[in-house]
Amino acid sequence: TMAVAMKLSDELVEDAKPYAAAEHRSVPRQIEYWARIGKAVIDNPDMPLRLIQDTMLSREEVKAGLAAPYEFG
């Protein structure tokens, strides 16, 4: 991952603080999360936000080795 310094508005940073605290993220990580969600929404306009969020979570669970195969029956 490449780090890039950016100027963000004070308002955006302040808006992110309570969400970051609630989700146990740093403020920069919270803003990065919002950016990823926004991109996913734009890329998938017909998908509900909750489905996008659940899909992103599922992908991270797989990466972390927390997924188990589903068994039918």
Side-chain angles (χ1 to χ4, degrees), residues 23-45:
E23 295 292 328
H24 306 286
R25 295 185 182 108
S26 66
V27 171
R29 289 283 184 193
Q30 181 63 41
I31 294 170
E32 182 180 335
Y33 172 74
W34 283 345
R36 284 194 319 268
I37 289 288
K39 182 179 181 312
V41 168
I42 289 169
D43 290 346
N44 301 282

Side-chain angles (χ1 to χ4, degrees), residues 1-70:
T1 326
M2 184 173 79
V4 176
M6 321 177 95
K7 275 195 154 270
L8 302 172
S9 72
D10 291 341
E11 183 179 356
L12 177 62
V13 172
E14 289 302 315
D15 286 349
K17 285 180 181 180
Y19 290 93
E23 295 292 328
H24 306 286
R25 295 185 182 108
S26 66
V27 171
R29 289 283 184 193
Q30 181 63 41
I31 294 170
E32 182 180 335
Y33 172 74
W34 283 345
R36 284 194 319 268
I37 289 288
K39 182 179 181 312
V41 168
I42 289 169
D43 290 346
N44 301 282
D46 296 329
M47 288 178 67
L49 175 59
R50 176 53 55 194
L51 181 57
I52 291 170
Q53 289 173 308
D54 289 346
T55 301
M56 290 173 72
L57 176 59
S58 296
R59 292 179 69 188
E60 292 305 317
E61 288 174 340
V62 168
K63 286 180 190 175
L66 301 174
Y70 180 78

